Amino acid sequence: MSASIPQGIADEDIGGPAQPLLSIRGLVKHFPIKGGVLNRTVAVVQAVDGIDFDVAKGETLGIVGESGCGKSTTARLLVRLIDPDAGEVLYDGLKIGAQDGLDLREMRRHVQMVFQDSFASLNPRLTIEDSISFGPKVHGLGAKEAKARARELLQQVGLNPNLFVRRYPHELSGGQRQRVNIARALALRPRLVILDEAVSALDKSVEAQVLNLLQDLKAELGLTYVFISHDLNVVRYMSDRVMVMYLGRVAEIGPVDAIYGNPRHPYTKALLSAMPSMDPDARTQEAPIAGDPPNPINPPAGCRFHTRCPFSEPVCAAKVPDLAAVAGDAKHAVACHMNVAGSGHSRTAGAA
Amino acid sequence: MTGPLVSVEGLRVLFKSADRTVHAVNGVDFALQPGEVLGLLGESGSGKSVTLKALLRLLPASRTTLSGKVTVAGHDVLSMDERALRQYRGGVVSMIFQEPMLAFDPVFTVGDQIAEAVMRHEDVGRAAARGRALEMLERVRIPSAKRRLDAYPHEMSGGMRQRAMIALALACKPQLLLADEPTTALDATVQIQILLLLRELQKEFGMAVIFVTHDVGVAVEVSDRMAVMYGGRIVERGSAADVIRRTAHPYPQGLLASTVHGAMRGTRLEAIPGAPPDLSRMPTGCAFAPRCRLADDTCRSVAPPIAALAPGHEAECHQPRVLSA
Amino acid sequence: MSAASAAVSSEAGQVPVASRGYWSNVLRRLARDKVAMACLAVLVLILLAAIFAPLIAPGDPYRGSIIRRLRPIGTEGYPLGTDELGRDMLTRLIYGGRLSLFMGIVPVLNAFLIGTFLGVVAGYVGGKTNMAIMRTIDVFYAFPSVLLAIAISGALGAGIFNSIVSLTVVFIPPIARVAESVTTQVRNLDFVDAARASGAGALTIIRVHILGNVLGPVFVYATGLVSVSMILASGLSFLGLGTKPPEAEWGLMLNTLRTAIYVQPAVAALPGAMIFVTSICFNLFSDGLRSAMDVKL
């Protein structure tokens, strides 16, 4: 490794392997919609409304959900591009922004993000080299070392530094630009990378290249990923655990095989059976659920999925279901009244 | 009617600008029978959307050079004048888009716009046209259709708007529907609803459909026949099963191998190396040769012939090898 | 480097293309714009003439002669005739370019610096700061620019320095507005978020990521204002609020010669023609620069 940035407290692993790299507790973000002459708040988008989850060291947590489910807001909260209204984010056991916790600037070195739009996320006036070396320079690395690091990273993401350092973003293809964005995110040697729809805008043949690259980098650098996508196939391929979000809340979370093989939430089931068939002789015959996802402004009360759920009962509209472990699998949790014995739903785990 | 509804022969589309000439479509031939659904599969820059727009002559005339022969229901599309085109668009052929807000005028209600389209193409009064609009909204399963007639486009949700656009496109009972990635911007649970709706309406109306998409799964869901485009040409075509299961051209083979599906965890994806061709500097031989594992000198210098593999199943390749999946 | 990344190296599809920076691209496109280049040539000519006035002017701009007043164009020794005090018109037009160009460029340059600063701060910080800066600017914007320039000059008194101050104040609001709107657009792009996520402070982000994308469009807009500034400055001189006689300045010359409009119309129109040509050239050059910068990336 080339010359290093001044060391911070969290550079070494403090909490030990059992301590989750990221712990999210009760995270809330509401966006007010201002309007009228007096610019008063007329409505609130409940983008993220009380979510809890952990990301273990070295794993990939996939987050799936439809538009408006809050997955992108979650990504921005994790890298603190926006501040949460409530809840806490612990990085390796340290509270971010707190007195005895981890300084925000320090946290930025450890948590980085790759955006969906490969073009908008690169400054059109900067060369590739300047874009990648910007972060290290901000953290005090000399110009020469920062440039050396940019070349090293380009090599690592599969771009020949001699050909690319002096290029501008518009001279690159979408796949190449996304590689540069990945290199930029790695420039501060982070431990956690948030990938927000990072491959969604790429063509399939290029997407596969970038997915391979992400897997290689993870193994080489011992990274932890939060992989956000609307593509269930890609999330299944990348993730160790998967979190399904619906309208700002967690619907289900668990190991990838449990989520895809034994989904417990009716929404997860619907999402999985809505995937187009790849078999011309076994095309989908019936849509799993009807209607559009409701607007996150004034979402339904109780379980937010109850308006589209085939098993909806009065209790679903009345009470918010807690995220609770599925019987027999402590790692697999679901927020559904049918999962909880005695919840008042006729199809509870016991009754069914 | 006997013979194909759509016949496209040697279609070429060039875009000229001061700096360069883009060869967007480079000799596309296909025919479509009435009531048949063709899935046109390709990545960005493959020429799939341009081909579709050429069928409706929607490309900006000043920068575009069209050549070849396009016949749709007896109309010679490339030689039509503006007046004939107006009758042709929406009457014989109509189109649905990825972004439904493009199809609607934001200042008129959905019902008025559908009624307007009906009156433009058929000799009916306003009341009858509104009746047709209501009928169409019901047929695309818009709940409380009567109320929605007076809704403005922005008052509808994404999936609803997509349905309304389909209603608008089908209001004059076209013989051919062109669909340009109509489900790409939709959520997964909504996408499948729209795909099933299109399949159902296609049968009900007996119309032919050309469905452009970059998503193999979506193409499989809707198509009777499929054609895969690359570098402005159709490189493989056949029944959906031919193209998916008995793939012969290395490009669709690579595309299928690199498309993540099912339980592939832990395996390395077989990505196609390189990037799609620069359409302003097309290679002389096979456009896919620079990325192809099997390419030899012939591939790089001579344009590939059409290899017939089975009735209706063709691949444009010097060395097609059927890989059974 | 590991074997795995060596393998992907060939996957990324690398085509070596000669790399050109954004600005060299802009210059290349600008060089192909014949109108813009012709205008640039005229402007350079006028500027050089003004700078080297003592070397190239045939006479003394202040020495007149009562007996040679208002000679027509083409008089021997006075190729462009003489003015109402018998001074050589060619000499005075060459010297007059000094002050006129100065009055065209300096206020816009001042306003460019101050207006861009205000606009970028308002656009980047947003919220209440934006509100405070932009609403204050709107107050100035509400007055027609001519009226505002006259009012401020009138209050401060005649003179070159005061004219520059008043014209600077006139041009700050439009420039700040353009800078604010461009900044707001750029600020919402992902690369600014990426820079924030890497821990950079606001000043660094503005310096590295915002200014590079904002200065260009604002500069183009400002070049278009130079002609306005020249005309306004001439107007102030015309009203007696700018330069004072016997200085040579095109606006002032136009003013003092207006009494001769019936005697020697061609001579009297010369300063006006200079103002016209220079402003047109600035405007057309600015248009050329705008379209050269409007590269679809």
mmCIF file of all heavy atoms in Angstrom, chain A residues 126-145:
data_model
loop_
_atom_site.group_PDB
_atom_site.id
_atom_site.type_symbol
_atom_site.label_atom_id
_atom_site.label_comp_id
_atom_site.label_asym_id
_atom_site.label_seq_id
_atom_site.Cartn_x
_atom_site.Cartn_y
_atom_site.Cartn_z
ATOM 1 N N LEU A 126 -13.513 17.201 -14.465
ATOM 2 C CA LEU A 126 -12.304 16.631 -13.871
ATOM 3 C C LEU A 126 -11.879 15.394 -14.642
ATOM 4 O O LEU A 126 -12.714 14.634 -15.121
ATOM 5 C CB LEU A 126 -12.551 16.243 -12.404
ATOM 6 C CG LEU A 126 -12.799 17.362 -11.401
ATOM 7 C CD1 LEU A 126 -12.761 16.794 -9.987
ATOM 8 C CD2 LEU A 126 -11.790 18.470 -11.537
ATOM 9 N N THR A 127 -10.559 15.182 -14.713
ATOM 10 C CA THR A 127 -10.078 13.936 -15.300
ATOM 11 C C THR A 127 -10.387 12.810 -14.323
ATOM 12 O O THR A 127 -10.642 13.039 -13.135
ATOM 13 C CB THR A 127 -8.565 13.972 -15.545
ATOM 14 O OG1 THR A 127 -7.924 14.169 -14.287
ATOM 15 C CG2 THR A 127 -8.183 15.094 -16.488
ATOM 16 N N ILE A 128 -10.345 11.586 -14.849
ATOM 17 C CA ILE A 128 -10.582 10.414 -14.021
ATOM 18 C C ILE A 128 -9.634 10.419 -12.817
ATOM 19 O O ILE A 128 -10.038 10.169 -11.683
ATOM 20 C CB ILE A 128 -10.338 9.144 -14.877
ATOM 21 C CG1 ILE A 128 -11.288 9.118 -16.066
ATOM 22 C CG2 ILE A 128 -10.441 7.896 -14.053
ATOM 23 C CD1 ILE A 128 -12.707 9.391 -15.737
ATOM 24 N N GLU A 129 -8.368 10.736 -13.084
ATOM 25 C CA GLU A 129 -7.370 10.760 -12.020
ATOM 26 C C GLU A 129 -7.754 11.749 -10.925
ATOM 27 O O GLU A 129 -7.700 11.439 -9.738
ATOM 28 C CB GLU A 129 -6.024 11.150 -12.636
ATOM 29 C CG GLU A 129 -4.868 11.131 -11.687
ATOM 30 C CD GLU A 129 -3.575 11.485 -12.415
ATOM 31 O OE1 GLU A 129 -3.560 12.507 -13.142
ATOM 32 O OE2 GLU A 129 -2.614 10.725 -12.286
ATOM 33 N N ASP A 130 -8.177 12.954 -11.330
ATOM 34 C CA ASP A 130 -8.533 13.959 -10.335
ATOM 35 C C ASP A 130 -9.768 13.552 -9.548
ATOM 36 O O ASP A 130 -9.872 13.825 -8.352
ATOM 37 C CB ASP A 130 -8.775 15.318 -11.012
ATOM 38 C CG ASP A 130 -7.478 15.932 -11.521
ATOM 39 O OD1 ASP A 130 -6.419 15.516 -11.016
ATOM 40 O OD2 ASP A 130 -7.525 16.779 -12.422
ATOM 41 N N SER A 131 -10.717 12.899 -10.221
ATOM 42 C CA SER A 131 -11.920 12.461 -9.511
ATOM 43 C C SER A 131 -11.569 11.432 -8.443
ATOM 44 O O SER A 131 -12.069 11.489 -7.331
ATOM 45 C CB SER A 131 -12.924 11.841 -10.484
ATOM 46 O OG SER A 131 -13.711 12.852 -11.063
ATOM 47 N N ILE A 132 -10.713 10.480 -8.790
ATOM 48 C CA ILE A 132 -10.396 9.421 -7.829
ATOM 49 C C ILE A 132 -9.518 9.948 -6.703
ATOM 50 O O ILE A 132 -9.682 9.594 -5.543
ATOM 51 C CB ILE A 132 -9.709 8.229 -8.532
ATOM 52 C CG1 ILE A 132 -10.646 7.648 -9.595
ATOM 53 C CG2 ILE A 132 -9.344 7.142 -7.533
ATOM 54 C CD1 ILE A 132 -10.027 6.550 -10.406
ATOM 55 N N SER A 133 -8.569 10.838 -7.045
ATOM 56 C CA SER A 133 -7.631 11.273 -6.002
ATOM 57 C C SER A 133 -8.196 12.383 -5.125
ATOM 58 O O SER A 133 -7.563 12.782 -4.155
ATOM 59 C CB SER A 133 -6.316 11.721 -6.639
ATOM 60 O OG SER A 133 -6.555 12.777 -7.541
ATOM 61 N N PHE A 134 -9.406 12.848 -5.448
ATOM 62 C CA PHE A 134 -9.993 13.949 -4.659
ATOM 63 C C PHE A 134 -10.154 13.578 -3.178
ATOM 64 O O PHE A 134 -9.708 14.299 -2.287
ATOM 65 C CB PHE A 134 -11.352 14.341 -5.258
ATOM 66 C CG PHE A 134 -12.089 15.378 -4.455
ATOM 67 C CD1 PHE A 134 -11.708 16.704 -4.500
ATOM 68 C CD2 PHE A 134 -13.161 15.019 -3.641
ATOM 69 C CE1 PHE A 134 -12.384 17.659 -3.760
ATOM 70 C CE2 PHE A 134 -13.829 15.975 -2.900
ATOM 71 C CZ PHE A 134 -13.452 17.295 -2.961
ATOM 72 N N GLY A 135 -10.783 12.423 -2.923
ATOM 73 C CA GLY A 135 -11.045 12.015 -1.536
ATOM 74 C C GLY A 135 -9.769 11.888 -0.714
ATOM 75 O O GLY A 135 -9.655 12.488 0.361
ATOM 76 N N PRO A 136 -8.768 11.124 -1.198
ATOM 77 C CA PRO A 136 -7.524 11.006 -0.432
ATOM 78 C C PRO A 136 -6.881 12.365 -0.162
ATOM 79 O O PRO A 136 -6.347 12.586 0.931
ATOM 80 C CB PRO A 136 -6.635 10.153 -1.333
ATOM 81 C CG PRO A 136 -7.580 9.348 -2.146
ATOM 82 C CD PRO A 136 -8.794 10.197 -2.340
ATOM 83 N N LYS A 137 -6.948 13.283 -1.142
ATOM 84 C CA LYS A 137 -6.354 14.603 -0.911
ATOM 85 C C LYS A 137 -7.087 15.335 0.208
ATOM 86 O O LYS A 137 -6.469 16.001 1.029
ATOM 87 C CB LYS A 137 -6.388 15.428 -2.199
ATOM 88 C CG LYS A 137 -5.273 15.077 -3.159
ATOM 89 C CD LYS A 137 -5.177 16.139 -4.244
ATOM 90 C CE LYS A 137 -5.134 15.485 -5.595
ATOM 91 N NZ LYS A 137 -5.482 16.381 -6.692
ATOM 92 N N VAL A 138 -8.426 15.193 0.200
ATOM 93 C CA VAL A 138 -9.214 15.842 1.252
ATOM 94 C C VAL A 138 -8.761 15.337 2.620
ATOM 95 O O VAL A 138 -8.710 16.081 3.589
ATOM 96 C CB VAL A 138 -10.722 15.546 1.036
ATOM 97 C CG1 VAL A 138 -11.510 15.828 2.298
ATOM 98 C CG2 VAL A 138 -11.243 16.377 -0.114
ATOM 99 N N HIS A 139 -8.388 14.061 2.675
ATOM 100 C CA HIS A 139 -7.976 13.499 3.955
ATOM 101 C C HIS A 139 -6.477 13.606 4.184
ATOM 102 O O HIS A 139 -5.904 12.863 4.970
ATOM 103 C CB HIS A 139 -8.447 12.049 4.064
ATOM 104 C CG HIS A 139 -9.914 11.973 4.355
ATOM 105 N ND1 HIS A 139 -10.435 11.929 5.610
ATOM 106 C CD2 HIS A 139 -10.977 12.001 3.524
ATOM 107 C CE1 HIS A 139 -11.747 11.899 5.559
ATOM 108 N NE2 HIS A 139 -12.112 11.947 4.287
ATOM 109 N N GLY A 140 -5.827 14.513 3.442
ATOM 110 C CA GLY A 140 -4.468 14.866 3.781
ATOM 111 C C GLY A 140 -3.383 14.117 3.056
ATOM 112 O O GLY A 140 -2.208 14.267 3.387
ATOM 113 N N LEU A 141 -3.721 13.322 2.078
ATOM 114 C CA LEU A 141 -2.677 12.626 1.328
ATOM 115 C C LEU A 141 -2.065 13.613 0.324
ATOM 116 O O LEU A 141 -2.771 14.418 -0.268
ATOM 117 C CB LEU A 141 -3.293 11.439 0.579
ATOM 118 C CG LEU A 141 -2.338 10.328 0.167
ATOM 119 C CD1 LEU A 141 -1.764 9.647 1.389
ATOM 120 C CD2 LEU A 141 -3.062 9.305 -0.688
ATOM 121 N N GLY A 142 -0.756 13.546 0.140
ATOM 122 C CA GLY A 142 -0.085 14.447 -0.789
ATOM 123 C C GLY A 142 -0.547 14.206 -2.216
ATOM 124 O O GLY A 142 -1.026 13.118 -2.549
ATOM 125 N N ALA A 143 -0.392 15.221 -3.064
ATOM 126 C CA ALA A 143 -0.884 15.135 -4.439
ATOM 127 C C ALA A 143 -0.255 13.954 -5.181
ATOM 128 O O ALA A 143 -0.920 13.223 -5.915
ATOM 129 C CB ALA A 143 -0.599 16.426 -5.179
ATOM 130 N N LYS A 144 1.041 13.751 -4.970
ATOM 131 C CA LYS A 144 1.747 12.685 -5.666
ATOM 132 C C LYS A 144 1.232 11.317 -5.251
ATOM 133 O O LYS A 144 0.939 10.457 -6.088
ATOM 134 C CB LYS A 144 3.238 12.786 -5.343
ATOM 135 C CG LYS A 144 4.115 12.897 -6.570
ATOM 136 C CD LYS A 144 5.546 12.770 -6.159
ATOM 137 C CE LYS A 144 6.468 12.996 -7.334
ATOM 138 N NZ LYS A 144 7.731 13.569 -6.886
ATOM 139 N N GLU A 145 1.119 11.136 -3.928
ATOM 140 C CA GLU A 145 0.650 9.845 -3.409
ATOM 141 C C GLU A 145 -0.786 9.585 -3.863
ATOM 142 O O GLU A 145 -1.144 8.466 -4.187
ATOM 143 C CB GLU A 145 0.723 9.813 -1.875
ATOM 144 C CG GLU A 145 2.117 9.712 -1.302
ATOM 145 C CD GLU A 145 2.792 11.071 -1.174
ATOM 146 O OE1 GLU A 145 2.151 12.089 -1.527
ATOM 147 O OE2 GLU A 145 3.949 11.112 -0.727
#
